[in-house]
Amino acid sequence: MLKIPHNQVAGHQAGGGKLGPLVDDAGHFYKPLQGDERGSAEVSFYTTFSLDTRIPDHIRKFFPVFYGTQLVEASDGSGLKPHLVLQDLTLGRVNPSIMDIKIGSRTWAPQASEDYIEKCLKKDRETSSLLLGFRLSGLQFHSGNEFGFWKSARKSVQGLSAEEIKLVLRNFVSSNTYRELESKPDCAFASVIFGGPNGILSQLLELKTWFEDQTIYHFYSCSVHVMFEKQLALEGKSPGAEIKLIDFAHVVEGRGVIDHNFLGGISSLIKFISDILTTNDGCPTRCSLKDAQKNEGFSDNRTN
């Protein structure tokens, strides 16, 4: 049985007669194809990428598994519609804290129409994209079983300043409940979520190393999807910190040129997270940055 996903923080959302993604109990995420060239472009990317032998396994793990396309009943009641069938990234997670971070100072591909470029450029200028090389598209905090979730309004996070983004990133890895977030965040879980050999920073560094060399694709308007289980962290267990890349409607061929737009954005995000792990303003360090950087040099058969 298909249902509306509970943990979606960005993108088109189903409900109230609106077209959006659906999930099933078998671990599949059904994303409706956009009616213009973006839908066919994303299908083309997933089809090509899934068969591309140039993509090493340690990089392929950062992309959702692609199961093809399927006609399913649309969430808006408009009947059978074509959907991408992808891996449900939140399957098995009970109360995930999630951030969707759109990467790149430029979110439009070169071949886009003038109207679309103008629209994207306006948003890039009004948000942190142009200044920082990335912007927050959506997030939710889990504040422990007693308090439940706090989910942001998407527009409220897209226009945050650099200092405000730093605060959000600190809140994301703090033990404070959402009712206490106006006070100084304690960053209690920074070392186990952002730091360490399997933490978010280590994973971002692994991706960055590939983007320093890869010239196969250019990823415009792609997002880094960050997840972990705060309740597990509160219980002293592994929080399952993980990143995935999502949204590929604007991917184009690299034609032998490095994707400096994406590389610059992910490098900027890495700097923000590194600063949290090395700062002396109350966030614990525990040598987490050093542990993460040990994994910057990796082999193709490396696993989490």
Side-chain angles (χ1 to χ4, degrees):
M1 180 179 175
L2 299 182
K3 53 192 176 183
I4 296 172
H6 294 298
N7 294 306
Q8 185 182 354
V9 299
H12 300 287
Q13 298 185 7
K18 296 180 180 179
L19 182 63
L22 300 165
V23 294
D24 62 19
D25 293 325
H28 299 127
F29 181 89
Y30 298 82
K31 181 179 180 180
L33 298 189
Q34 299 181 73
D36 53 22
E37 67 277 0
R38 289 175 290 178
S40 58
E42 191 159 26
V43 172
S44 177
F45 167 76
Y46 272 112
T47 302
T48 301
F49 183 85
S50 64
L51 300 173
D52 197 332
T53 58
R54 297 170 295 177
I55 310 300
D57 288 343
H58 73 271
I59 294 301
R60 194 176 294 279
K61 72 185 179 186
F62 292 119
F63 291 76
V65 178
F66 173 56
Y67 298 106
T69 59
Q70 186 175 332
L71 287 173
V72 300
E73 288 290 337
S75 61
D76 62 355
S78 58
L80 292 174
K81 298 281 188 181
H83 287 63
L84 280 167
V85 187
L86 305 169
Q87 172 190 4
D88 180 3
L89 300 180
T90 61
L91 181 70
R93 294 184 178 270
V94 181
N95 294 304
S97 291
I98 299 173
M99 276 195 298
D100 184 293
I101 307 170
K102 192 171 290 294
I103 302 295
S105 58
R106 167 179 161 179
T107 58
W108 44 272
Q111 72 274 22
S113 68
E114 290 187 11
D115 287 345
Y116 189 77
I117 291 174
E118 184 178 347
K119 175 184 175 182
C120 291
L121 187 55
K122 181 177 184 293
K123 194 166 189 177
D124 293 344
R125 286 171 172 163
E126 291 174 348
T127 65
S128 64
S129 290
L130 204 57
L131 178 64
L132 303 180
F134 69 89
R135 69 172 177 255
L136 299 183
S137 293
L139 74 153
Q140 68 178 27
F141 297 114
H142 186 250
S143 295
N145 289 336
E146 181 180 355
F147 296 101
F149 282 109
W150 177 85
K151 182 177 289 191
S152 71
R154 283 180 287 172
K155 288 186 178 180
S156 70
V157 297
Q158 290 177 353
L160 296 179
S161 67
E163 288 304 313
E164 289 168 333
I165 288 173
K166 289 178 185 178
L167 180 59
V168 167
L169 290 172
R170 286 179 168 86
N171 285 333
F172 195 62
V173 293
S174 292
S175 66
N176 310 62
T177 69
Y178 69 88
R179 295 180 181 178
E180 302 168 331
L181 290 180
E182 291 183 2
S183 61
K184 187 174 181 180
D186 60 22
C187 298
F189 306 124
S191 62
V192 295
I193 294 163
F194 285 158
N198 298 312
I200 298 302
L201 180 59
S202 181
Q203 295 175 54
L204 289 171
L205 287 168
E206 189 170 353
L207 261 182
K208 175 179 175 285
T209 300
W210 184 62
F211 272 93
E212 288 172 339
D213 293 319
Q214 81 87 16
T215 60
I216 306 169
Y217 302 105
H218 285 187
F219 293 85
Y220 294 103
S221 200
C222 173
S223 290
V224 171
H225 188 265
V226 182
M227 295 178 293
F228 76 93
E229 291 272 358
K230 186 173 182 179
Q231 186 61 37
L232 293 180
L234 287 166
E235 296 170 2
K237 302 175 183 177
S238 172
E242 182 181 28
I243 67 170
K244 295 283 187 181
L245 296 184
I246 59 173
D247 298 335
F248 306 112
H250 303 281
V251 178
V252 299
E253 291 184 12
R255 301 185 184 277
V257 178
I258 288 175
D259 186 357
H260 291 287
N261 182 60
F262 190 96
L263 179 60
I266 201 169
S267 297
S268 178
L269 177 60
I270 285 170
K271 177 65 165 59
F272 272 70
I273 291 176
S274 297
D275 285 349
I276 291 174
L277 292 171
T278 57
T279 187
N280 292 318
D281 65 353
C283 289
T285 57
R286 305 186 195 176
C287 299
S288 301
L289 178 59
K290 182 178 179 182
D291 291 341
Q293 288 175 329
K294 287 179 182 178
N295 293 281
E296 190 169 0
F298 49 82
S299 61
D300 284 2
N301 61 357
R302 181 180 177 276
T303 57
N304 279 333

